[in-house]
Amino acid sequence: MILQESYTLANGVEIPKLALGTWQVSNEAVKPAVKSALELGYRHIDTAAAYGNEGGVGAAIRESGISPEEIFVTTKVPAEFKTYEKAKQSIEKSLQLLGKVDLMLIHAPKPWIQMHTHFPRRYFKENPQVWKAFEEAYEAKKIGAIGVSNFQIDDLENLMVHSKIKPLVNQICVHIGKVPTKLIEFCKKEGILVEAYSPIATGKILKNKKIANMAEKYGVSTAQLCIRFCLQLGLLPLPKTTHAEYMRQNAELGFEISEEDMQTLLEFKRI
């Protein structure tokens, strides 16, 4: 069962292969959602300071009756925090709210407002300052692993040149119709695990009849096909839902997409 399987990061830390994403879930709604996921057997929860729901995630973990040691918690320092001090403060606040952090990520290489524009600044000097705070927390054993999110190849190369510890994870948007092959291959070559957020393209894929027909051939939902697609690429998917039934379905992935169908799905240009 996928919920009992894991990848091994380059530092030897075991990370569950499937996570519950909590983006756009309020602090109030996230608590019952995380509790439902844990009851179903999920052991990897993904959150972020920018989501504003770390408190709810932490409360759900504490009230679940499950040992925190059995639960893998990922969170992120806001993309806007580009100094050592701000990163350090953010790490401490996340630790306080969540109770534990197994994986801490830099949410993006530059502030969100600049991420999808042609704003020229790349923050090549600032990100290593943030990373220094990460390395210190990691070496102090406050955090089990450190990584990044939304980093491109040159962002990663810059960070690796100016750091002692290589990022262990890069969390990026990957779904059918959006597969950044070169970036994924670079990460794999460097021993960086790629996590796939929005594996169902925030629901847009569910309207695609060709993908729905393929899912029907396997006797699964379109969402299940999308999540399985990411797994077969060697990625760690983070589907988001607050509905227990969808959580259950998303974890029922005991089927394999054929090589031919994987190729067909890889050839989708956009959704």
Side-chain angles (χ1 to χ4, degrees):
M1 186 178 179
I2 195 66
L3 292 177
Q4 298 171 340
E5 297 179 20
S6 63
Y7 290 116
T8 303
L9 298 177
N11 67 344
V13 167
E14 297 284 313
I15 180 169
K17 276 189 177 181
L18 184 70
L20 176 73
T22 63
W23 176 51
Q24 294 183 325
V25 181
S26 71
N27 197 49
E28 294 73 25
V30 82
K31 185 175 172 181
V34 170
K35 281 187 173 181
S36 294
L38 294 173
E39 288 171 3
L40 288 165
Y42 282 74
R43 291 297 180 267
H44 185 176
I45 309 299
D46 180 271
T47 183
Y51 300 168
N53 61 20
E54 287 178 314
V57 171
I61 291 171
R62 288 191 296 273
E63 296 172 17
S64 69
I66 299 167
S67 169
E69 293 180 0
E70 295 182 29
I71 304 168
F72 193 99
V73 181
T74 296
T75 193
K76 311 169 193 77
V77 164
E80 293 69 27
F81 290 3
K82 292 302 176 195
T83 67
Y84 166 82
E85 285 298 333
K86 282 191 174 182
K88 187 175 180 179
Q89 291 168 9
S90 182
I91 290 168
E92 292 300 327
K93 185 175 181 181
S94 291
L95 285 166
Q96 182 181 13
L97 289 170
L98 291 163
K100 63 168 297 189
V101 174
D102 297 285
L103 173 62
M104 179 72 75
L105 308 177
I106 299 177
H107 208 149
K110 55 185 180 178
W112 275 114
I113 197 170
Q114 299 169 13
M115 279 296 289
H116 302 293
T117 68
H118 295 294
F119 193 84
R121 191 173 177 187
R122 297 300 302 276
Y123 295 87
F124 285 154
K125 291 183 179 180
E126 290 83 356
N127 283 318
Q129 295 177 28
V130 176
W131 194 248
K132 181 183 176 184
F134 276 48
E135 290 179 327
E136 288 182 0
Y138 175 73
E139 290 174 338
K141 301 188 184 303
K142 293 181 178 181
I143 298 168
I146 52 179
V148 296
S149 182
N150 297 293
F151 272 49
Q152 298 303 310
I153 291 174
D154 55 355
D155 296 310
L156 289 165
E157 289 176 331
N158 172 69
L159 199 60
M160 290 189 287
V161 166
H162 296 97
S163 63
K164 295 183 295 181
I165 303 169
K166 184 187 296 186
L168 295 164
V169 168
N170 188 16
Q171 185 180 119
I172 58 177
C173 181
V174 183
H175 54 74
I176 297 167
K178 183 180 176 63
V179 182
T181 304
K182 288 184 179 179
L183 177 56
I184 292 170
E185 289 177 350
F186 175 86
C187 289
K188 287 184 177 181
K189 180 183 176 183
E190 294 294 334
I192 301 169
L193 176 67
V194 175
E195 295 186 340
Y197 71 78
S198 297
I200 312 168
T202 62
K204 291 193 289 288
I205 284 179
L206 302 178
K207 301 174 184 178
N208 189 292
K209 291 183 178 180
K210 289 183 179 179
I211 296 174
N213 289 338
M214 185 183 290
E216 188 176 351
K217 182 176 77 170
Y218 288 95
V220 298
S221 69
T222 299
Q224 286 170 307
L225 186 80
C226 293
I227 297 166
R228 183 69 201 178
F229 170 78
C230 290
L231 284 167
Q232 287 186 214
L233 291 178
L235 316 181
L236 193 160
L238 301 97
K240 183 209 79 175
T241 181
T242 57
H243 301 285
E245 178 57 24
Y246 291 152
M247 292 178 197
R248 183 188 63 77
Q249 290 178 18
N250 290 347
E252 292 181 346
L253 303 168
F255 66 100
E256 187 169 346
I257 304 170
S258 70
E259 289 185 17
E260 180 181 359
D261 286 341
M262 280 295 292
Q263 189 57 43
T264 298
L265 294 173
L266 282 166
E267 290 171 359
F268 272 86
K269 298 302 180 185
R270 65 175 59 184
I271 298 296

